[in-house]
Amino acid sequence: MDFAKVRELIDRSNNIVIIVHTRPDGDAIGSGLALKKALEKNGKNVTLISPDPIPVFLEWLPGAEEILVFSENKADAKAKLEEADMIFIVDFNTFSRAGTLLGEILEDYLSQKPVVMIDHHLQPDKRIPYIFSDPSKASSAELVYEFITNTGLVEQLDPDIATAIYTGILTDTGSFRFDKTSGRTHRIVAELIEAGAKNADIYSKIFDTYTYDKLQLLGEAIRRMVVIPRCGVSYIILDEDTLRKFNFKQGDTEGVVNYGLMLDGVKFTALFTEKPGEDKIRISFRSKGDFDVNRFARKYFNGGGHKNAAGGNFEGSMAQAEKTFLSKVKKHCDEIKNS
Ligand code: 5GP
Ligand code: MN
């Protein structure tokens, strides 16, 4: 990316909108908030729009209360987008990941306003003129760090920016354990801690704040896990009734999918959820090693993501979703087992 050129665009802008993806996670919110603060330090009027509400485990982040939730306040969000001199899209690679309506609005603005993407997913939408994308990075937050330092937006990190970036890196690296966590990641993290990110405190606020229902739901999910040892596959189904029984709230299934990979010999796992009020099945995929879940999700479940972490959707009943999944697993059984 031509940082000087984007810096020039920023300098010429007064009103800037940042958009993150649907069902935002720690990386989306952390990246969005860090970028917002960095731009505000340079006198910009910045609005961070999230398509969906902020999950409870991220509400404590400095500035989270200022996020404009599109699904709750479409008129304000549309007005901010209309006023915007430039738009940043963060932690997603195609407009549809901002949701149908917001995605269509972005589509219209593409020819009218500069759009900058900061992201780490595969296959970024090439029509976007300014792309800062690196799928070898474990988080968008790491890229936001590189972006705000390379553009000179931030000379000295402050505790709020450091906390937001730390949150993005911590959550998207699975607490620094995933493959893409690099020496560079750790060097940035060292700087964040020195700049005031309280690492133990942040971890605790994110991971030690389960409600009783959320922890019980996790227990139920683990109990229901189905294993196909022959293929190195496991999966969990959480239907609408189960989620209701545990008073499901946004964010309650966060991280559940990872438990499927804890079994020795399992290389590929999936979590199916049927969220109350949604008319489709959401699926999360995770893998260890070579099996490419981005490809699997794209090919069979109208989704995508990264090689080892992806999501998808299924229109139809849970039973049909499971049946489809099982037939595809059967097809790829040897490939998964040997990955
Ligand atoms: P999760 O399972 O946590 O929802 O998503 C895992 C990864 O896959 C995330 O990086 C997310 O951005 C991506 N992802 C999730 N759902 C979708 C989807 O429907 N389409 C695409 N392209 N990516 C997705
Ligand atoms: Mn991310």
Side-chain angles (χ1 to χ4, degrees), residues 255-270:
V256 171
V257 64
N258 296 309
Y259 286 85
L261 284 184
M262 288 174 80
L263 278 169
D264 192 19
V266 166
K267 309 273 181 65
F268 174 39
T269 193

Side-chain angles (χ1 to χ4, degrees), residues 98-161:
T100 311
L101 186 51
L102 194 49
E104 281 166 13
I105 296 172
L106 282 170
E107 202 68 54
D108 287 342
Y109 281 129
L110 182 59
S111 56
Q112 300 169 35
K113 302 173 194 257
V115 177
V116 181
M117 176 198 289
I118 303 179
D119 183 47
H120 66 135
H121 293 90
L122 296 159
Q123 291 151 300
D125 185 340
K126 294 221 168 61
R127 298 172 306 151
I128 291 159
Y130 305 99
I131 299 182
F132 185 41
S133 163
D134 185 351
S136 77
K137 300 288 183 192
S139 66
S140 293
E142 190 172 325
L143 290 170
V144 166
Y145 171 91
E146 305 286 11
F147 181 84
I148 63 179
T149 49
N150 278 297
T151 48
L153 283 176
V154 172
E155 304 286 341
Q156 195 78 49
L157 291 165
D158 71 23
D160 284 357
I161 293 180

Side-chain angles (χ1 to χ4, degrees), residues 25-35 90-91 118-121 132 134 137-149 157 161-173 185 188-189 192:
D25 55 8
D27 190 30
I29 299 295
S31 297
L33 284 174
L35 182 60
V90 172
D91 200 35
I118 303 179
D119 183 47
H120 66 135
H121 293 90
F132 185 41
D134 185 351
K137 300 288 183 192
S139 66
S140 293
E142 190 172 325
L143 290 170
V144 166
Y145 171 91
E146 305 286 11
F147 181 84
I148 63 179
T149 49
L157 291 165
I161 293 180
T163 299
I165 296 175
Y166 189 94
T167 297
I169 295 178
L170 177 73
T171 51
D172 253 29
T173 57
T185 313
I188 291 170
V189 163
L192 298 175

Side-chain angles (χ1 to χ4, degrees), residues 299-300 326-336:
K299 205 163 162 192
Y300 305 123
L326 288 173
S327 78
K328 303 309 172 195
V329 161
K330 202 170 158 193
K331 189 171 162 190
H332 292 274
C333 183
D334 291 338
E335 185 193 338
I336 299 164

Side-chain angles (χ1 to χ4, degrees), residues 21-23 25 27 91-94 96-97 119-122 138 172 253-255 257-258 271 275 280 282-286 293-294 297-298 301-306 308-313:
H21 58 77
T22 52
R23 288 176 295 275
D25 55 8
D27 190 30
D91 200 35
F92 63 101
N93 56 351
T94 56
S96 62
R97 291 277 297 135
D119 183 47
H120 66 135
H121 293 90
L122 296 159
D172 253 29
T253 51
E254 192 77 37
V257 64
N258 296 309
L271 170 71
K275 304 235 164 116
K280 59 178 186 224
R282 278 281 313 161
I283 313 152
S284 282
F285 301 105
R286 298 291 185 272
V293 292
N294 169 54
R298 265 172 201 272
F301 291 97
N302 187 31
H306 315 272
N308 295 128
N313 306 286

